[in-house]
Amino acid sequence: ETLQRIVSTLANKKDEIHNFIDMLNHTIRNVQANSSNAISELDEEFDGLYSILDEMKGSMANSIQQEEARKIQALQDQLNQCSNALESSEELLEIAAQSLDIKDPAEFLKVENIELIVTMASAFRISLKPKVSDSMTHLMVDFALERRMLQAVKFLPVPKAPEIDLAACLVADNCITVSWRMPEEDSRIDHFVLEYRKTNFDGFPRVKDEQRWEVVDYIKATEYTLSGLKFDTKYMNVRVQACNKAVAGEYSDPVTLETKAFVFSLDSTSSHLNLKVEDTYVEWDPMGGKGQEKIKGKENKSRSGAQSPKKTSPNTRSPARSKRDHFAGESYTVLGDTAFESGQHYWEVRAQKDCKSYCVGVTYRNLGKFDQLGKTNSSWCIHVNNWLQTTFSAKHNNKTKTLDIPVPDRIGVYCDFDGGQLAFYNANSKELLHTFRTKFTQPLLPGFMIWCGGLTVSTGLQVPSAMKTLQKSENGLSGSTSSLNNIA
């Protein structure tokens, strides 16, 4: 036996090493792929920087060219003005010289306003100073600061891996709240990324045969609640990474949270022939069974009473699909395909609005072919009857207690096997409807009866925290119990 234990331990260790080797090879491939991606991203960043510099160079060169054209145009205009003035001055000088050569005073006086014409020459009004400077120093650049900044460019510091605070994480009410913190303050953190996946392993996260990670991105806080979950596996891996504006850091060490919940389907192989069953939905079908089935059921009951329950070991769980006979007669019943014999479990049931009659409860596996839920000492249920007028009652061992409360549209069933408690709730308001207290001696199966309508069952649900709180207040529940609760 000792050797067998050692061999078994070694075999498990071997599997873990194989998984670890697979993880290392997977990590090596990721390093290579991520390095190529990093180089590609670096090229893109520098190409973008080159593009910006080229664009800036073109824009600034265009400004210089425009300034050059403006100054040249101004100087050219001034040059043309001076050339015209010079040409006009030469003409006036020539006329004035000709006038000065006249010796006869009478002839000289015949020249009209020659003095005024010379005095108004444009050459006397022109400015001999350039309108613009030839300097272009105002368009010079100094990239000393930018050069120092570019020389200081380094890889952006990668955010450190967050640390998940396992003590602050909470699994309740079909939600998982994950809380984490940074190992040191980092003001450059922009957001966090949370990843999670369902698993049936509570140890080191496996590489093979795992579901892919589900991603929740752009989380600004250091806490996040995953809601609306169905806990159809026993555990959930979660991990978190911090991201700044450009890069994401390493993931935190994965944390495994326990998410055990009761998951079952409806056992179509044991349901009444007048019921159509599909996974977690059952519907009454008047054409589903044979006409003589109901008559035969009544004859058998009148002749021999209820069938003898089959002996079932308390330690035997229900198989995936029951091998028992179909329910018959007026027992329009279907059971769950999974039994439980310990722990606390919860599921919910929603009936169609036009449903005439239905029962929700639990039973041992010895429920007879023609037995109805709540009419035997091995089954407990609440019954809703909408025929003529609505009645709401709790049933066990063929005893009935009327419940003077409104019928909710969704009923929660909570069973504490070890504590001997079966409670029914308004699943919306978490109001307690009724509680049975007894000592369960055999594995229990969820049971459902339906007539004229349909039922939808929701499984894989955590026990709501509000119900756990109510269950701790034993005195508060006493008003909702009755004498039939204590009948085993």
Side-chain angles (χ1 to χ4, degrees), residues 436-447:
F436 291 103
R437 287 191 179 88
T438 186
K439 180 179 180 180
F440 298 117
T441 59
Q442 298 181 36
L444 290 172
L445 286 165

Side-chain angles (χ1 to χ4, degrees), residues 61-79:
N62 185 54
S63 297
I64 294 174
Q65 292 170 352
Q66 289 178 354
E67 181 70 0
E68 177 190 13
R70 184 186 69 81
K71 286 193 171 187
I72 289 177
Q73 183 64 46
L75 292 172
Q76 191 67 48
D77 291 342
Q78 193 173 14
L79 180 62

Side-chain angles (χ1 to χ4, degrees), residues 138-435:
H138 63 291
L139 292 177
M140 301 300 290
V141 295
D142 179 11
F143 284 136
L145 176 61
E146 287 76 8
R147 188 177 292 109
R148 288 195 297 271
M149 292 175 62
L150 288 174
Q151 290 173 344
V153 170
K154 298 179 181 179
F155 291 109
L156 189 66
V158 178
K160 295 184 179 296
E163 298 174 353
I164 296 180
D165 186 359
L166 192 57
C169 295
L170 178 65
V171 179
D173 300 323
N174 305 321
C175 299
I176 291 180
T177 299
V178 185
S179 181
W180 60 89
R181 58 178 174 265
M182 294 299 295
E184 58 186 46
E185 187 69 24
D186 188 347
S187 60
R188 288 167 294 193
I189 297 298
D190 178 68
H191 65 275
F192 297 93
V193 177
L194 170 67
E195 295 190 354
Y196 65 96
R197 66 182 177 186
K198 297 177 181 179
T199 178
N200 280 317
F201 302 107
D202 62 345
F204 196 78
R206 269 65 169 174
V207 174
K208 292 184 175 180
D209 303 325
E210 286 286 4
Q211 298 187 32
R212 65 181 180 86
W213 291 98
E214 301 289 340
V215 181
V216 181
D217 206 348
Y218 296 105
I219 302 172
K220 293 296 185 178
T222 56
E223 182 178 277
Y224 188 81
T225 298
L226 298 165
S227 59
L229 299 174
K230 180 177 181 181
F231 297 108
D232 48 4
T233 51
K234 296 180 181 179
Y235 303 94
M236 184 174 290
N237 300 140
V238 294
R239 64 183 186 182
V240 183
Q241 67 177 163
C243 306
N244 54 33
K245 290 291 185 180
V247 65
E250 294 292 329
Y251 284 100
S252 65
D253 291 333
V255 170
T256 302
L257 302 175
E258 186 177 15
T259 58
K260 291 181 180 179
F262 185 43
V263 180
F264 65 90
S265 297
L266 300 178
D267 187 359
S268 60
T269 64
S270 68
S271 67
H272 193 286
L273 291 177
N274 282 107
L275 298 181
K276 291 197 311 183
V277 177
E278 183 177 350
D279 195 19
T280 56
Y281 178 74
V282 55
E283 184 177 32
W284 188 76
D285 180 11
M287 304 302 294
K290 298 179 181 180
Q292 64 269 25
E293 186 73 15
K294 182 175 179 180
I295 300 175
K296 180 180 178 181
K298 286 187 175 181
E299 290 175 351
N300 288 343
K301 288 185 72 175
S302 61
R303 181 171 62 250
S304 58
Q307 286 188 343
S308 300
K310 297 179 181 179
K311 298 296 182 181
T312 305
S313 171
N315 298 321
T316 303
R317 287 195 176 275
S318 172
R321 288 297 180 188
S322 175
K323 301 300 183 183
R324 71 188 310 287
D325 294 333
H326 284 275
F327 286 100
E330 294 182 353
S331 181
Y332 301 113
T333 304
V334 61
L335 303 179
D337 64 358
T338 305
F340 59 89
E341 53 186 341
S342 63
Q344 301 178 37
H345 308 282
Y346 177 77
W347 60 96
E348 294 179 355
V349 180
R350 182 190 294 273
Q352 292 180 345
K353 291 184 178 180
D354 59 350
C355 189
K356 296 300 182 184
S357 178
Y358 63 93
C359 292
V360 178
V362 298
T363 178
Y364 295 152
R365 294 191 61 225
N366 60 9
L367 191 65
K369 183 174 182 179
F370 301 100
D371 290 339
Q372 297 181 18
L373 289 175
K375 291 190 175 183
T376 69
N377 64 356
S378 60
S379 63
W380 300 257
C381 73
I382 57 174
H383 177 221
V384 178
N385 186 355
N386 290 319
W387 185 254
L388 298 181
Q389 62 180 10
T390 300
T391 60
F392 194 21
S393 59
K395 293 184 176 183
H396 170 62
N397 200 20
N398 208 25
K399 294 183 179 180
T400 301
K401 175 180 175 57
T402 300
L403 305 178
D404 189 18
I405 48 180
V407 179
D409 63 351
R410 194 157 53 96
I411 296 175
V413 184
Y414 166 75
C415 185
D416 180 359
F417 189 98
D418 304 307
Q421 194 172 95
L422 175 67
F424 299 89
Y425 290 87
N426 181 326
N428 296 318
S429 66
K430 304 302 183 288
E431 176 188 2
L432 179 64
L433 304 175
H434 186 77
T435 300

